[in-house]
Amino acid sequence: MDPRISFQYNWDKAQTLKFALGQYSKHPEPKEASQTLGNPDLYFERAYHYIAGIKSQWSEAVETE
């Protein structure tokens, strides 16, 4: 299981704070984990992501994230 969460906080009408964190994993390919060609003791690769950002509405036509 890879838990992930994200949320936003509307600071005011033009500014939104954004946060996210999560775990991502990938299992080894069959050839990487085979006894003849690879390593049967391989386990899932894991990565943890942490993100923070600001979304700004400058005008009706201009927005940045």
Side-chain angles (χ1 to χ4, degrees), residues 32-43:
E32 296 172 333
S34 77
Q35 289 187 334
T36 55
L37 299 175
N39 180 353
D41 295 328
L42 289 179
Y43 195 64

Side-chain angles (χ1 to χ4, degrees), residues 19-22 48-52:
F19 302 95
L21 58 101
Y48 300 95
H49 293 243
Y50 306 93
I51 302 167

Side-chain angles (χ1 to χ4, degrees), residues 12-45:
D12 57 29
K13 289 182 178 181
Q15 307 292 321
T16 303
L17 303 176
K18 302 170 93 177
F19 302 95
L21 58 101
Q23 173 182 299
Y24 296 81
S25 60
K26 177 186 170 198
H27 60 84
E29 298 293 324
K31 66 180 178 183
E32 296 172 333
S34 77
Q35 289 187 334
T36 55
L37 299 175
N39 180 353
D41 295 328
L42 289 179
Y43 195 64
F44 284 84
E45 292 182 57

